[in-house]
Amino acid sequence: MPQPHLSPAYCEAYSRINALVIVGEGLADSHFRLLASLLPEDRDDLRWLAAMEGRHARDFAGCGRELGIRPDLPLAQRLFAPLHHLFREAVRTGDRVSALVIQCLIVESFAVAAYRCYQPVADAYAAPILQEVLDDESVHLDYGARWLAAWFPEVAAPIAACCERAVPIVLAMLNAVRADLTAIGIDPAELVGEFVGCFQAAIEAVGFEPRQARGLVARLAGQAVELAA
């Protein structure tokens, strides 16, 4: 049963946000295992990263159980489907750059931004889990940035092209749960800003000059402002 201090509106919103986190971490587990098939030289490392993501999914499922809230997994799966499709397409065509950009730069930036914004309003059970997960996600971001940096600048154009396709999907996902974010205490505008900032830092780590990185994310600014309005 839900704890007495949780309103029905909070529980409904949490069921959708918690589901997004669980599904996102579960897909990350799958994605890193698929990346291991594209990058056999890093197979062991990628399987280790996948196992971390699987543990995150289980831990966040536990957060929902602790509050007596059942996650709305079908909704989360629908919201993640376009991004997952892009990733599977990259794997199918052997496009290692796009696969790494989607999972290690975009999805991980999304996760880091969401967890940072949730930290101030997290319940006592979730708070230590969030901190551990945040530490892990920085490792995942670093893996993708280091791999792509080793091939920079020849991968610059494919990175930009992938971002043009994938980043709007993330912004659309955020827009779809905007009311739910507000209901659990997260400012959607702050989350968008955190995501954009984290993503820009990630592509700078790959090798884009700050001016280039700002230019790349500038095309997202209109969508971010629209979401925050």
Side-chain angles (χ1 to χ4, degrees):
M1 295 292 292
Q3 296 183 9
H5 67 283
L6 299 180
S7 69
Y10 181 96
C11 291
E12 287 186 18
Y14 188 94
S15 74
R16 291 184 279 271
I17 300 302
N18 185 232
L20 272 180
V21 171
I22 294 168
V23 170
E25 296 288 354
L27 286 176
D29 181 348
S30 171
H31 289 178
F32 276 115
R33 295 184 192 281
L34 289 169
L35 276 168
S37 68
L38 286 181
L39 300 162
E41 66 276 15
D42 288 350
R43 182 181 293 113
D44 290 344
D45 288 342
L46 288 162
R47 287 177 176 172
W48 175 63
L49 295 178
M52 293 166 70
E53 301 285 30
R55 184 175 68 252
H56 297 165
R58 293 189 295 273
D59 286 345
F60 284 124
C63 291
R65 286 194 301 272
E66 178 71 13
L67 298 178
I69 299 173
R70 178 177 295 180
D72 188 347
L73 298 176
L75 173 65
Q77 288 160 352
R78 289 196 299 273
L79 291 176
F80 262 108
L83 199 61
H84 181 54
H85 174 75
L86 279 185
F87 182 87
R88 292 299 297 261
E89 178 184 326
V91 172
R92 181 181 61 80
T93 60
D95 183 354
R96 299 185 294 177
V97 172
S98 290
L100 284 164
V101 169
I102 292 168
Q103 179 56 48
C104 295
L105 300 191
I106 296 174
V107 173
E108 299 296 346
S109 292
F110 181 31
V112 167
Y115 300 154
R116 283 177 179 169
C117 291
Y118 183 55
Q119 272 188 313
V121 295
D123 61 87
Y125 181 88
I129 292 173
L130 274 173
Q131 187 54 60
E132 181 178 346
V133 171
L134 269 169
D135 292 342
D136 288 348
E137 303 299 11
S138 66
V139 174
H140 305 166
L141 263 168
D142 182 64
Y143 171 83
R146 283 188 292 105
W147 194 97
L148 292 165
W151 294 92
F152 202 83
E154 64 185 271
V155 296
I159 289 172
C162 179
C163 290
E164 291 287 347
R165 298 179 68 193
V167 171
I169 295 173
V170 171
L171 293 174
M173 290 171 61
L174 291 175
N175 195 34
V177 295
R178 180 178 177 180
D180 296 321
L181 290 167
T182 301
I184 68 169
I186 296 175
D187 181 348
E190 180 184 352
L191 178 49
V192 170
E194 190 72 37
F195 167 67
V196 171
C198 187
F199 176 67
Q200 180 172 328
I203 59 175
E204 287 182 22
V206 166
F208 286 88
E209 295 293 332
R211 177 183 55 80
Q212 296 173 308
R214 285 193 298 272
L216 183 57
V217 300
R219 290 191 290 274
L220 310 175
Q223 297 173 68
V225 170
E226 181 181 345
L227 178 58

